[in-house]
Every structure is written in C-alpha cells, then in structure tokens.
Amino acid sequence: MSNIFRNIPSVNELLESEPLKQLAARANRTVVVGGVREFLDKMRKEVTAAAAEVPTPGELAQRIAEWIDQTEQPALRPAINATGILLHTGLGRSPLAPAARAAVDSISTGYASVEIDLPSGKRSQRMDVVARTLRQLTDCEACAVVNNNAGATLIVLAAVAAGKEVIVSRGQLVEIGGSFRLPEVMQYGNVRLREVGTTNKTRAADYEQAIGEETAALLRVHPSNYVIRGFTESASLEDLVALGHKHDLPVIDDIGSGALWDFSRYGIDDEPMVKDSLKQGADLVLFSGDKLLGGPQCGIILGRKMWIDRVRRHPLARALRVDKMTLAALHATLKLYLDPEQAEQQIPLLRLLATPIENLRHRAEHLAPQLAATSSISAAEVVDDTAYLGGGSVPTQALPTVCIALTPAFGSVDHLASRLRDAVPAVMGRVKRERLLIDLRTVFAEQDGDILAALTSLGGNESPAEPSPGE
Ligand SMILES: *Cc1c(COP(=O)(O)O)cnc(C)c1O
C-alpha cells in the first residue's frame, strides 16, 4: 500500500505541471493549492478502499485541473428552462423584467432611500415604497410586503389570531411545494386550526356552526396545486365575508398566485384576481410576488388598514423583512402593470404565456433539423405536448405547447439530459418516453441559438467522463 502512495506526486510537483500552472494563472493560486490537496486526500482514501491504481503524474495533473475547474463553477448559474413548467421553483420561478433588473442595478451598488422619506428627511417604512402603486392597481386600503407568501401566511395568522382559533375548510388544508403545509404554518403562528366540512364539500353553514368564543378569523386558501372533481361545494368568498362581518371576524384570503388581471386570456381559468378578492370584501388578501405577478420572490399582503397595521407592528415583520433589491424589483414590475401592453411585452412570464402556439411551432420546425444535425442527436421530432404553470400553481391547468423531442445518438436519455445541464448556460429539458423534450413554451426565442450551441458543444461519441473524487 505505501508503495502505491509513493507513486503520488507531491503538491509542489503537481503545481509545477502545465495544466495546474495554467489554471493557477487563470484562477486563484490559493484555490488551486487547496483543490490539489482536497483531490489528493480523496484519492488516497479511494486508493486505500478500492486498492485502485494511481494514475500517471501527467494524467493526475490533468484530472485535478478539470476537477478544480468544475467544482469552482458557481453552483448558482443561468439556466434555460425547457421543462415546460413556467413557474419552476427549482429554476427560480419568474424571471425578472428588464425594468426590474435596471431598478435593482441602480439601487443596489450604492446607498438608497430604503427607509427615508426624502421630502421630509424623516424615517419611513420600507414597505411604503410600493404602497402607492399597489393602491393604483388594486384599490387596496393598505399593504405589507414580506419575504414570501409562506411568510405572509405566518405573520398574518400570528398578528390576527395568535392564541385563538382560525376556521378553515378541510378541503383547503393544502401542502404546497413539499414544505409549506398549512396546518404546520398555523402551529408556528400559535394559531389553533378549526377544520370544518369534508374534503369535497364545505358550506357556509359549516363555518357558522364552528364560530365560537375562541374564533379569531375565517381563512380561505386557494387550492393552487390540485382540484377536487365530482360532487364538490365550497363556500363563496362573499358568503364568508357576510358571515365574518356578522360575527365581527376578519376574513383572510390566501389566493396564492396573485393574478393582477384575468389570466383566462392565456387559457388559465379559475385563478382568483387580487382586485376581485378585495372587492368581495376580504379583509386580508395574500399572494406571492414571483408567481403570476412575474416579479421577485416576496409575499404581498393587502387589505384593511387596521389589520395591516397589526401585521406591520408584529415582531415577525422584522424577521420576514424584504431587502432593498426586492423592493426595487417589485416596484418596477408593478409599475409595468399600469400599462397592460407594456406589461405583456416586458414581463417575461406574460411574454411566455402570450406567445401564440403557431410561433412555437414555427421556431420548433426551424430548430429541430439543426439539432438533429449535431453529432450527439440521432433524431429531433416536433411534437405537440402540454406545459404547466407549476410553482405550486395550477398543475391541473394544461397549456398547449410545442416541443422538440430529442433521441440521443449514443448513451441514455438521462445521460444526454445530464450533459445538457452541464452546459453554460445549463439547459433543462424534460424526459418523456426515452426522449428529451425541449419545451419551447418556457424558452425565450432569443435562447434557441443557445440550445443549438449547447448541443453542438457536446460533440460526438466520447466515453462519459470518468467519475472523479467528490462525486
Ligand atoms: C404558492 C403558495 C403559497 C406559498 O407561497 P411562497 O411564495 O412559495 O412562499 C401559499 N399559499 C398558496 C395558496 C400558494 O399557492
């Protein structure tokens, strides 16, 4: 065994090798020295465990250089979303509009009037940056902005109902995105959950019977990611508002996606609109900033001033506070909605939704033969398929789309998918029946060339890279 180890060159010898000298000149010497040590440590363990061979010094230097290069790539990097899921949480949900990026640019590299009212020079509340625009768009009385909609739900429950009971329909006790489970959020908000009705049917009378001394609010949750079919019934928001106000209880409406206008124009039905919820009398309306709104991650709370004031004063407001970049991006995104035409042209999510299917087909027919001509692909077929909103939003809502179905020239479809994820920018498709689908519904037209470049860069049939330590 010790003989084998004697064959391993020293760190200094390796650093003198051509590939690592070149890497150190390009990257940072500390990073390269650390990387060489880390690689050698792992290799010694592997050699011991598997009685493996030590590569020749030249081969070893080359492998270490490639490994350092790969591990030093930022884990967070741009990706092309060809999955067909518009609000893919794993890919950061909605991309930002150019105006939002410009706003972030202009306030993030210097100081900014985050909590200063410039005319008076007095201290202001950071959430007020977006208050005026939210009022213009929704006629809300007051607003608060927190880190995300899960946070909005938590702080609203804690501010309105801590130590008391909130009534929710059993059909609305949702889990969204695997980690947001309404019953658990209620527990952390120190709120007791009072379930009423059954999974498929809940009537206003069920809520009324449950109202008692301990009741602090009525909560409605939009079941964003599922539908119950068949014999179903739920109390309308108007009914809940009438009931709540009769008993002096606030009605909280978690509408999830926050559509600022009617999304049925894009073939998405049954998405509650922010304005409607307020108009129908909900006291507090909650939604995400990075779902249908197409802005940065945040949770927006609109409603009556007396309740919003309680939310703003709650200690959790500090813990869930948004930063200046979020506020800048949100404000710029909201401003675009004041001119619907501008919003549709500039907000990436709306642009993707509004693209006519013929455009997608035209692009697919142009791109498919080019992809098929690359050496890693044996066939590229244009196929009709279904895209989804995603992001905990309406996967039941099918959107028509056109895909390019790729058959790899060699290796498995998973291997092809993995090599495309390694490209710069990463290309994420979806595997269906042994083919990799490139769904153009979620790809911006200007990225078609990048997809071709990524496939071209994969080259021909080479044996897959040998697994290196750390994998
Ligand atoms: C998505 C969603 C949430 C969670 O929102 P985040 O912004 O992801 O925290 C909560 N409630 C509903 C109804 C949702 O659709």
Side-chain angles (χ1 to χ4, degrees):
M1 191 57 72
S2 57
N3 276 344
I4 296 178
F5 284 154
R6 226 175 285 143
N7 293 337
I8 302 178
S10 72
V11 173
N12 278 336
E13 279 164 347
L14 283 164
L15 289 174
E16 285 307 309
S17 72
E18 214 32 56
L20 287 162
K21 265 204 323 225
Q22 277 176 20
L23 184 62
R26 234 177 342 110
N28 172 314
R29 196 183 142 82
T30 316
V31 165
V32 175
V33 175
V36 171
R37 293 219 169 93
E38 198 181 328
F39 190 98
L40 290 182
D41 276 352
K42 284 188 179 131
M43 197 180 73
R44 282 196 193 92
K45 281 182 200 133
E46 278 182 4
V47 167
T48 315
E53 297 268 322
V54 173
T56 65
E59 211 180 301
L60 182 61
Q62 187 61 39
R63 266 172 64 181
I64 296 179
E66 280 166 19
W67 179 77
I68 294 175
D69 228 8
Q70 211 179 38
T71 45
E72 287 301 316
Q73 294 270 348
L76 180 59
R77 51 187 141 139
I80 293 176
N81 178 7
T83 64
I85 298 167
L86 277 130
L87 297 173
H88 196 299
T89 304
L91 293 175
R93 288 201 189 151
S94 51
L96 291 182
R101 189 186 71 181
V104 172
D105 263 4
S106 79
I107 61 98
S108 59
T109 50
Y111 297 102
S113 57
V114 181
E115 287 184 0
I116 305 280
D117 173 54
L118 290 175
S120 65
K122 292 214 175 86
R123 187 82 186 250
S124 68
Q125 281 233 355
R126 64 177 58 206
M127 298 167 188
D128 288 333
V129 169
V130 292
R132 186 179 160 75
T133 318
L134 279 170
R135 242 186 346 260
Q136 287 165 335
L137 290 168
T138 68
D139 291 329
C140 64
E141 207 175 283
C143 73
V145 182
V146 294
N147 188 50
N148 56 20
N149 195 25
T153 312
L154 177 65
I155 194 172
V156 161
L157 289 169
V160 168
K164 301 190 94 181
E165 242 174 47
V166 170
I167 304 179
V168 196
S169 159
R170 196 159 274 146
Q172 295 173 3
L173 290 174
V174 294
E175 169 176 309
I176 289 157
S179 53
F180 176 91
R181 299 182 121 185
L182 191 61
E184 286 167 16
V185 174
M186 295 184 91
Q187 202 179 327
Y188 283 107
N190 189 24
V191 169
R192 288 196 307 282
L193 166 67
R194 178 73 195 264
E195 295 172 51
V196 294
T198 60
T199 304
N200 60 330
K201 286 195 184 192
T202 306
R203 303 178 181 89
D206 295 324
Y207 290 84
E208 182 144 41
Q209 274 162 25
I211 293 175
E213 284 284 288
E214 287 297 295
T215 311
L218 308 180
L219 170 64
R220 186 178 84 143
V221 181
H222 180 60
S224 302
N225 53 3
Y226 71 99
V227 283
I228 297 171
R229 289 181 205 284
F231 293 104
T232 67
E233 190 173 338
S234 56
S236 71
L237 183 60
E238 281 110 330
D239 289 346
L240 287 190
V241 167
L243 191 62
H245 294 175
K246 181 171 141 195
H247 295 270
D248 235 355
L249 297 169
V251 175
I252 304 163
D253 194 18
D254 174 9
I255 61 172
S257 296
L260 285 182
W261 56 38
D262 187 357
F263 273 68
S264 63
R265 70 175 82 169
Y266 309 113
I268 297 166
D269 298 320
D270 305 324
E271 265 304 307
M273 270 193 284
V274 176
K275 222 175 163 169
D276 288 349
S277 176
L278 287 166
K279 207 187 284 166
Q280 286 161 20
D283 297 278
L284 288 159
V285 180
L286 285 46
F287 53 96
S288 302
D290 55 353
K291 289 186 179 171
L292 291 182
L293 183 70
Q297 178 191 303
C298 60
I300 300 170
I301 308 165
L302 307 180
R304 303 224 185 285
K305 190 171 180 308
M306 67 166 285
W307 297 115
I308 295 283
D309 282 345
R310 274 168 76 162
V311 168
R312 285 176 168 224
R313 279 197 308 265
H314 194 277
L316 273 173
R318 177 58 191 267
L320 297 170
R321 182 166 93 173
V322 287
D323 78 331
K324 57 182 185 273
M325 290 183 279
T326 303
L327 285 170
L330 177 61
H331 183 241
T333 307
L334 291 170
K335 285 288 256 191
L336 291 171
Y337 275 97
L338 293 172
D339 177 350
E341 213 170 294
Q342 264 220 11
E344 207 165 78
Q345 279 167 15
Q346 283 213 36
I347 296 176
L349 182 76
L350 301 183
R351 248 174 78 200
L352 293 174
L353 278 170
T355 308
I357 190 97
E358 304 82 61
N359 285 21
L360 300 184
R361 198 180 317 281
H362 184 75
R363 278 167 53 198
E365 276 161 6
H366 182 70
L367 186 57
Q370 294 175 284
L371 301 188
T374 64
S375 46
S376 51
I377 298 302
S378 71
E381 191 195 344
V382 176
V383 294
D384 284 354
D385 209 73
T386 305
Y388 293 101
L389 262 186
S393 298
V394 241
T396 50
Q397 294 271 13
L399 296 161
T401 190
V402 177
C403 302
I404 304 172
L406 303 176
T407 308
F410 55 87
S412 68
V413 70
D414 289 333
H415 182 58
L416 175 66
S418 132
R419 293 178 79 206
L420 278 174
R421 285 198 303 274
D422 258 352
V424 182
V427 178
M428 294 271 300
R430 81 169 173 272
V431 173
K432 188 173 175 182
R433 294 198 204 103
E434 293 310 306
R435 296 198 290 184
L436 183 65
L437 298 196
I438 300 296
D439 189 328
L440 294 186
R441 174 61 67 195
T442 46
V443 176
F444 297 104
E446 55 271 26
Q447 294 176 322
D448 289 358
D450 295 333
I451 294 177
L452 176 61
L455 273 160
T456 307
S457 76
L458 297 188
N461 187 2
E462 45 179 80
S463 58
E466 275 186 56
S468 40
E471 285 181 346

